[in-house]
Amino acid sequence: MPALAAAALLAGLAAGPASPAAELGAVAAASARPPECVRFARVARRPDTLWERAREPELAAWCRVMARGASELATAPERARASARAAEQLAPGRAAALVLAARAALALGELEAAWGDFRRALARSASSVESPAALHDLAVVAARTGHAEEARRAYRALAARASLLPSEVRRERAYLEAACWVMDAGSSGLTEAIGYLEEARRHAQPGSGAVTLAALALALDRDGRGDEAQGAAAEAGGPWGLAELAGIDGEVPARAARALPVLPPGELAAMVGVLAERQDPALAEDAWRAVLAARPEGPWAEYAKRKLGSSGRARRVSR
């Protein structure tokens, strides 16, 4: 397997946020202010509404603490979480403080804590996770903690506003992840997934674009559009670098694992299988075995079994 292929792919993927903390930091400035603070700032600019501001004396302090916490997500998630706790003490019951706490927990790698805080925030206010960056974080946490349906809902909501994310890298990643989680529901999600992948392709970056094209090839192939799938596969290039990142020949390097998009189990291996069909039947066979090992009863298990059979036949013919 050409080592340079994996290195090039990893460089492209790592051009995006390489860790939860870095992801959060890259978008903190673009996060929407809590609506209470937007309203307070508007009122504060009017000289005739002093009595309105006096009705919520803690709000100015709460907004300052929340703004500080948002800025701390980039480099000091522990301090951001402390700010979230301080905000909760200043004004108990406001959902935005829990959203900040959840995002800080994600940055620290504490996924269960992040999931709990997001759930509590949504229980307080269904509109508390509306900014694209917070929605992406919610989707990632739901996916990584095994809440597939909740992840799909969050990704669908995110896809409608992913163009507002602050970087091309984050936009491509959001559309790619949304497509794969929607597709993971089965064939009913294929048309939607292909639409998201076309959007991801528009925002594709050097290196990471190969993963988007591989996902598009997989979606088209699952949809029975074999010729289009082969065209996307050819554009994506060889399968060997992606195979290394998928861990088909061994463990995924830690740096690669941090940089990879958040995908359903076995999905990256399935992309390798589609790319390898004509170029490396033996690798394709290994890839489909890896898919079935990851998801023996998944929604695409029968598809993977058919692919495994055809790859095995192709490998025997090529000997």
Side-chain angles (χ1 to χ4, degrees), residues 167-242:
S167 73
E168 291 285 83
V169 168
R170 189 81 184 245
R171 290 170 203 143
E172 180 191 7
R173 188 168 183 148
Y175 284 122
L176 169 62
E177 290 173 353
C180 290
W181 283 97
V182 166
M183 187 161 44
D184 194 55
S187 58
S188 63
L190 282 172
T191 300
E192 183 181 1
I194 290 167
Y196 293 158
L197 288 167
E198 292 290 0
E199 282 298 313
R201 191 179 190 177
R202 289 181 56 238
H203 300 285
Q205 303 298 294
S208 64
V211 183
T212 292
L213 285 165
L216 180 59
L218 176 62
L220 290 167
D221 194 76
R222 285 171 170 170
D223 201 34
R225 296 156 64 176
D227 290 343
E228 293 175 72
Q230 285 301 320
E235 192 176 342
W240 303 282
L242 202 59

Side-chain angles (χ1 to χ4, degrees), residues 49-259:
T49 54
L50 183 61
W51 67 273
E52 289 186 38
R53 302 199 299 274
R55 289 192 305 176
E56 296 183 280
E58 84 291 345
L59 192 54
W62 184 83
C63 289
R64 284 195 297 271
V65 171
M66 289 294 296
R68 184 180 69 214
S71 69
E72 289 165 337
L73 278 171
T75 55
E78 278 284 9
R79 291 207 297 270
R81 182 156 60 184
S83 293
R85 290 171 179 160
E88 177 71 6
Q89 291 176 345
L90 278 169
R94 295 188 186 277
L98 284 174
V99 173
L100 176 60
R103 300 184 70 200
L106 171 60
L108 293 164
E110 298 175 10
L111 296 177
E112 291 299 334
W115 177 244
D117 284 333
F118 271 129
R119 289 293 298 271
R120 285 188 285 276
L122 289 167
R124 288 182 181 180
S125 169
S127 61
S128 61
V129 187
E130 285 194 331
S131 77
L135 260 177
H136 194 186
D137 293 337
L138 170 61
V140 165
V141 169
R144 285 181 171 165
T145 53
H147 298 88
E149 285 301 325
E150 290 86 345
R152 266 189 284 280
R153 283 198 293 271
Y155 274 120
R156 279 186 164 116
L158 172 63
R161 60 196 79 172
S163 62
L164 300 175
L165 286 166
S167 73
E168 291 285 83
V169 168
R170 189 81 184 245
R171 290 170 203 143
E172 180 191 7
R173 188 168 183 148
Y175 284 122
L176 169 62
E177 290 173 353
C180 290
W181 283 97
V182 166
M183 187 161 44
D184 194 55
S187 58
S188 63
L190 282 172
T191 300
E192 183 181 1
I194 290 167
Y196 293 158
L197 288 167
E198 292 290 0
E199 282 298 313
R201 191 179 190 177
R202 289 181 56 238
H203 300 285
Q205 303 298 294
S208 64
V211 183
T212 292
L213 285 165
L216 180 59
L218 176 62
L220 290 167
D221 194 76
R222 285 171 170 170
D223 201 34
R225 296 156 64 176
D227 290 343
E228 293 175 72
Q230 285 301 320
E235 192 176 342
W240 303 282
L242 202 59
E244 187 172 334
L245 297 182
I248 291 173
D249 289 340
E251 273 193 49
V252 181
R255 183 181 169 214
R258 289 194 300 270

